[in-house]
Amino acid sequence: MVTTVVFDADETLVDLRPAVTGGLIAVLEEMGRLNPAARISLADLESDWHLALGANAAAPVWEIRKAALARSLDRAGLGAHLDEISALFFARRFALTRPFADTLPALAALRQRWTLGFATNGNSRAERCGLVGEFAFAVYAHCDGVPKKPAPDFYAAVCAAAGADPAQVVHVGDNPAHDVVGAQRAGLRAVWLNRRGERLPADVVPDAVVTTMTELPSVLADLSGEADLPPFIRRCSGGTSSIDV
Ligand SMILES: [Mg+2]
């Protein structure tokens, strides 16, 4: 029986791209003020992110972001401003971070039936992304020795926080390797949230696929085996979940 549903943060619950872009635009504006001769573009900043990520993908994401900004500032002779520019980026990034429109209604429905958790590799703390009070527990990579997804120990930490066996936990996320393969290898079931109509690698087989959070109550009922029960029994055993109406 499924007791717990755990969610990835970025691009699953949280619309990260506008927030990161807004943070980078703030950085560009400040770089232009500090050095009007600098000719750095948004594409340069994004390129530096990918270079920094490739150089040290296992590092905490905030470290990767800071390393990326250091590369960009060095392009403009502004390396001495790294700390203040990093603070500017993160302030703007978090100020702009919002849940997707379907996130909060779906969480409210799912909470009627399942324990909900939050589990991320990234910088998106629930309380800084419009998700305060939404989860029974949260697991963050690089906190308390937890490695990044897709490491099995990340998902072991999720199950420990949930107080559940892996077979009782469903993980929902957008990243096939991290959120689907990683979770399944640790014994959890995995739902792939494909918001952008992307193609799934042929060797990745999620337990279910959804394109919106709105689909989750019925999909999770299926994974719990409840869909095979008559509606009356589902109502009596399942409380007030939206799967019943
Ligand atoms: Mg994600």
Side-chain angles (χ1 to χ4, degrees):
M1 184 181 81
V2 175
T3 63
T4 307
V5 185
V6 182
F7 293 88
D8 168 61
D10 298 332
E11 302 301 327
T12 297
L13 302 177
V14 171
D15 192 4
L16 183 66
R17 293 185 188 185
V20 169
T21 299
L24 294 178
I25 289 172
V27 167
L28 280 179
E29 291 172 350
E30 183 63 6
M31 289 175 71
R33 190 186 71 80
L34 292 168
N35 180 5
R39 291 290 181 266
I40 308 298
S41 69
L42 184 60
D44 292 328
L45 297 188
E46 291 170 340
S47 173
D48 288 335
W49 162 258
H50 290 293
L51 289 170
L53 178 64
N56 197 5
V61 175
W62 70 268
E63 283 188 15
I64 299 171
R65 176 59 68 188
K66 196 166 181 178
L69 292 172
R71 287 173 181 261
S72 303
L73 292 170
D74 284 345
R75 291 173 182 262
L78 295 171
H81 295 272
L82 178 58
D83 286 344
E84 68 196 61
I85 292 288
S86 295
L88 172 67
F89 169 82
F90 284 115
R92 189 74 179 140
R93 173 255 199 261
F94 282 113
L96 293 173
T97 303
R98 303 278 187 280
F100 287 103
D102 61 2
T103 293
L104 294 178
L107 293 178
L110 295 167
R111 191 177 298 110
Q112 302 300 314
R113 173 65 182 83
W114 293 282
T115 299
L116 305 185
F118 183 86
T120 179
N121 276 356
N123 289 327
S124 292
R125 308 282 304 190
E127 67 273 16
R128 298 191 71 182
C129 299
L131 295 169
V132 65
E134 294 290 329
F135 301 99
F137 64 90
V139 174
Y140 297 98
H142 300 289
C143 290
D144 302 322
V146 175
K148 278 182 165 178
K149 306 173 196 176
D153 281 351
F154 180 95
Y155 289 101
V158 166
C159 293
D165 294 331
Q168 296 175 299
V169 182
V170 175
H171 182 65
V172 181
D174 69 296
N175 185 300
H178 290 176
D179 296 314
V180 176
V181 175
Q184 289 175 328
R185 283 182 179 160
L188 290 72
R189 279 173 282 181
V191 175
W192 184 43
L193 176 54
N194 182 20
R195 291 187 181 276
R196 304 183 193 279
E198 295 174 354
R199 294 179 67 90
L200 195 62
D203 58 342
V204 178
V205 184
D207 293 279
V209 179
V210 296
T211 57
T212 69
M213 291 279 292
T214 308
E215 300 163 60
L216 281 173
S218 64
V219 165
L220 290 167
D222 287 345
L223 290 178
S224 294
E226 295 176 7
D228 296 332
L229 299 175
F232 172 76
I233 295 176
R234 287 166 54 195
R235 273 196 297 276
C236 289
S237 62
T240 57
S241 167
S242 65
I243 64 173
D244 302 323
V245 297

